């Protein structure tokens, strides 16, 4: 069987995205065949397209997808044909402690093919069930951004009701952080340079908002909003341009989740204040299959719907990349495979 897919191909010193076809591999005894119904993009996908030296020629991109099982291997017991599933970002990180070996096997990056394809073969243990109330498009937004926010706030952050959370921006991870934290009963502060986006964040449950264009000292604004105490949890998504302010705004005993590189790599903040606040930094790189399953249980319990900014058809995938690159989105950008 042939599967349409997109490939990142070498074009001089850069990579270009184009459609191609490939043969779907035979099923191993423990594998399942998923008909992909939707996928979504992350900032990481722009980095992959821009990394001509580290990305295999012909790589199928994207890590996030949802679909239905249409065939199962002879030893599969977890799934049946017709089940709605989503593959985990790290297919082999099932649970427990993280191993660096998983980095090279992450879907859609470096050398490992991803999910921008009509059919995907994956081990049965690498998939999770989709919440019943979500569409395929909504479910396809969860594997990277949703799991990252969950891992940061709940698995490592141990977020409880009444605590204060600050999220930077209104991209995928930020809005999942807002929705999940608000459902937990936390007070969420959202920063953005757009008043229109901040109004939408408030409608989703943000406790307070800060326009960092009007208030560049947003760390001081966050301290004022919390009566000088500081913020209990910060989703650090910016990188070098935001890190020192995150450290200034964190509360005693607070937790900074190191996630993003939107302003670049190589942040070198002054860490000394963390010592005298007894605060900490948790490095967060997506999450395990167990994390994903617990996220979906929470989403189902609270009837949360992911925020999808725009949906493109499969043939319009390059336009989805351009929309993401323009950075004007609020929430996730998705691709539907339904014709």
């Amino acid at each position: 069987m042939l599967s349409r897919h997109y490939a990142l191909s070498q074009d001089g010193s850069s990579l270009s995205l184009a459609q191609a076809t490939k043969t779907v591999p035979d099923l191993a005894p423990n594998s399942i065949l998923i008909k992909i119904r939707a996928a979504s993009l992350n900032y990481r996908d722009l980095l992959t397209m821009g990394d001509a030296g580290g990305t295999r020629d012909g790589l199928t991109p994207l890590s996030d997808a949802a679909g239905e099982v249409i065939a199962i291997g002879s030893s599969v017991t977890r799934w049946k044909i017709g089940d709605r599933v989503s593959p985990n970002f790290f297919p082999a990180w099932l649970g427990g402690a993280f191993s660096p070996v998983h980095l090279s096997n992450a879907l859609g990056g470096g050398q490992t093919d991803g999910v921008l394809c009509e059919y995907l073969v994956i081990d049965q243990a690498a998939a999770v069930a989709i919440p019943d109330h979500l569409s395929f498009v909504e479910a396809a937004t969860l594997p990277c951004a949703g799991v990252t926010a969950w891992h940061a706030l709940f698995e490592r952050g141990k977020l409880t009701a009444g605590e204060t959370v600050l999220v930077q921006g209104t991209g995928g991870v930020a809005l999942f952080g807002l929705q999940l934290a608000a459902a937990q009963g936390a007070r969420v502060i959202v920063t953005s340079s757009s008043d229109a986006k901040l109004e939408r964040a408030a409608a989703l449950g943000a406790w307070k908002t800060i326009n960092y264009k009007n208030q560049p000292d947003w760390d001081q604004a966050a301290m004022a909003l919390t009566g000088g105490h500081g913020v209990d949890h910060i989703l650090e998504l910016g990188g070098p341009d935001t890190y020192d302010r995150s450290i200034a705004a964190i509360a005693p005993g607070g937790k900074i989740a190191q996630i993003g590189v939107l302003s670049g790599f190589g942040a070198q903040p002054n860490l000394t204040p963390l010592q005298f606040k007894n605060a900490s930094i948790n490095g967060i790189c997506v999450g395990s299959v167990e994390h994903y399953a617990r996220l979906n249980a929470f989403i189902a319990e609270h009837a949360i719907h992911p925020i999808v900014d725009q949906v493109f058809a499969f043939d319009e995938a390059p336009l989805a990349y351009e929309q993401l690159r323009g950075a004007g989105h609020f929430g996730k950008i998705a691709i539907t495979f339904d014709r």
Side-chain angles (χ1 to χ4, degrees):
M1 182 170 63
L2 292 178
S3 173
R4 287 194 305 160
H5 72 113
Y6 276 90
L8 291 173
S9 301
Q10 297 287 341
D11 185 8
S13 60
S14 60
L15 294 168
S16 61
L17 184 70
Q19 280 195 44
T21 59
K22 60 182 178 181
T23 301
V24 176
D26 294 334
L27 288 181
N30 286 314
S31 295
I32 59 176
L33 176 62
I34 303 171
K35 179 178 176 59
I36 301 296
R37 298 285 299 276
S40 75
L41 281 75
N42 298 283
Y43 182 70
R44 174 227 193 199
D45 299 313
L46 296 180
L47 299 178
T48 299
M49 178 177 272
D51 184 16
T55 300
R56 173 173 56 79
D57 186 33
L59 180 85
T60 300
L62 304 194
S63 59
D64 292 17
E68 55 190 317
V69 177
I70 61 170
I72 60 175
S74 59
S75 299
V76 170
T77 57
R78 295 184 59 177
W79 308 108
K80 64 182 183 299
I81 293 174
D83 282 344
R84 296 173 2 119
V85 298
S86 176
N88 196 52
F89 181 96
F90 292 116
W93 187 12
L94 305 184
F98 180 74
S99 170
V101 72
H102 297 317
L103 291 172
S104 62
N105 298 320
L107 294 176
Q111 308 300 309
T112 303
D113 281 333
V115 300
L116 194 50
C117 53
E118 288 184 307
Y119 300 97
L120 178 72
V121 173
I122 199 164
D123 190 277
Q124 65 169 333
V128 300
I130 296 170
D132 291 339
H133 73 289
L134 297 186
S135 68
F136 284 113
V137 167
E138 290 173 321
T141 68
L142 296 171
C144 183
V147 173
T148 295
W150 173 263
H151 184 188
L153 292 174
F154 290 80
E155 301 289 343
R156 300 280 290 283
K158 307 300 181 185
L159 178 67
T160 60
E163 290 187 313
T164 307
V165 177
L166 184 144
V167 300
Q168 298 170 351
T170 56
V173 176
L175 290 187
F176 277 122
L178 164 59
Q179 291 180 285
L180 296 172
Q184 184 73 346
R187 302 183 303 170
V188 185
I189 301 170
V190 179
T191 69
S192 173
S193 62
S194 166
D195 284 336
K197 289 182 178 181
L198 290 175
E199 288 179 6
R200 295 180 68 181
L204 287 173
W207 172 61
K208 300 290 182 181
T209 62
I210 302 171
N211 186 319
Y212 62 77
K213 184 177 181 179
N214 300 332
Q215 295 179 285
D217 295 333
W218 57 262
D219 52 324
Q220 296 179 25
M223 291 295 290
L225 289 172
T226 57
H229 176 71
V231 180
D232 299 307
H233 303 263
I234 295 179
L235 297 188
E236 172 47 58
L237 301 168
D241 290 353
T242 56
Y243 226 114
D244 281 314
R245 295 194 185 280
S246 288
I247 292 174
I250 198 68
K255 301 178 181 71
I256 297 173
Q258 161 57 31
I259 297 169
V261 292
L262 294 177
S263 66
F265 291 86
Q268 297 181 346
N270 176 15
L271 299 179
T272 302
L274 289 178
Q275 177 182 351
F276 297 103
K277 293 183 175 184
N278 283 290
S280 60
I281 296 174
N282 289 325
I284 303 294
C285 188
V286 198
S288 68
V289 173
E290 289 183 354
H291 292 160
Y292 194 1
R294 288 194 285 268
L295 163 66
N296 279 347
F298 186 89
I299 285 175
E301 177 186 357
H302 295 276
I304 294 171
H305 285 274
I307 306 304
V308 180
D309 181 88
Q310 195 167 351
V311 181
F312 292 85
F314 182 82
D315 290 339
E316 299 174 323
L319 295 179
Y321 271 80
E322 291 307 311
Q323 181 75 3
L324 181 63
R325 188 173 286 110
H329 55 287
F330 183 89
K332 296 289 292 181
I333 296 169
I335 296 169
T336 178
F337 290 44
D338 292 337
R339 300 188 181 187

